Amino acid sequence: MQAAGGATLNTDDTPATGAAPRASRRAVSVLVAIALAGLTVDQVVKHLSVSMLDPQDPVRVLGGLVYLSLVRNSGAAFSLGSDYTFVFPLITIVVIGWITYMTLRLRSMPWAVALGLVLAGALGNLTDRLFRAPSFLHGHVVDMFSLFAPYGERFAVFNVADSCLSVGVVLAVLLELTGRQRDGTRLPGNAKKHEQREEAEQR
């Protein structure tokens, strides 16, 4: 875009040449939307689980592939570290701060999805830590999904926030391994390999 006299103006998503890339409004909006959606679904499912599930009577679903089992977890994701409940909210706050910092140059849509999912998972379980019994910072997280057995005998009982967190982390690792950067660029070596692969497929 040009102003009168030929001076070049930049749009919101296009940084000036040589300047550090600014965050894309679209990417940040996607991150926030995914985080809010994941947090909302997580809290609604937890509310319904507390209201409708009996801890002593798991609900068998899909022929026993999934059990709906109400469990209150004092540990981290998948019931890890139950003796250090107070530490997890502090770690979560650091993670949220890190994600906020990452958004300053966020221009990649895949990274927006990954970070949005991680943020949804972090906020979902942090909400439980802050506002559920037994006390502030020591609240027990509500879990409800158990695979293959009713009480986590085969796989740890988890919730929607845990799922968001896990998928987000896996996606972030894949993006790092393929050289995709948060500013929308790709590392030179990975970009060259990608071009060579595309050329080979076209032959």
Side-chain angles (χ1 to χ4, degrees), residues 20-152:
R22 293 180 299 173
S24 161
R25 288 184 179 180
R26 184 183 177 192
V28 174
S29 296
V30 168
L31 184 155
V32 172
I34 289 175
L36 291 177
L39 174 61
T40 300
V41 172
D42 176 67
Q43 291 301 307
V44 168
V45 171
K46 286 174 178 175
H47 174 75
L48 293 175
S49 298
V50 171
S51 302
M52 303 177 66
L53 293 178
D54 182 348
Q56 306 303 322
D57 187 21
V59 178
R60 191 169 183 262
V61 182
L62 300 177
L65 177 62
V66 178
Y67 287 82
L68 302 180
S69 306
L70 181 60
V71 175
R72 296 182 184 274
N73 171 24
S74 60
F78 303 109
S79 302
L80 300 176
S82 57
D83 293 331
Y84 303 96
T85 303
F86 70 95
V87 174
F88 300 118
L90 304 180
I91 295 175
T92 302
I93 291 172
V94 172
V95 171
I96 293 172
W98 173 77
I99 293 175
T100 301
Y101 171 76
M102 298 292 282
T103 62
L104 297 178
R105 296 185 180 181
L106 180 65
R107 300 177 61 81
S108 166
M109 295 303 292
W111 269 106
V113 173
L115 293 176
L117 288 170
V118 172
L119 184 58
L123 290 174
N125 286 337
L126 177 62
T127 301
D128 286 12
R129 299 291 184 200
L130 297 180
F131 301 112
R132 293 190 185 275
S135 63
F136 184 74
L137 291 181
H138 294 269
H140 291 181
V141 174
V142 175
D143 292 331
M144 73 292 297
F145 300 118
S146 181
L147 302 180
F148 311 117
Y151 296 108

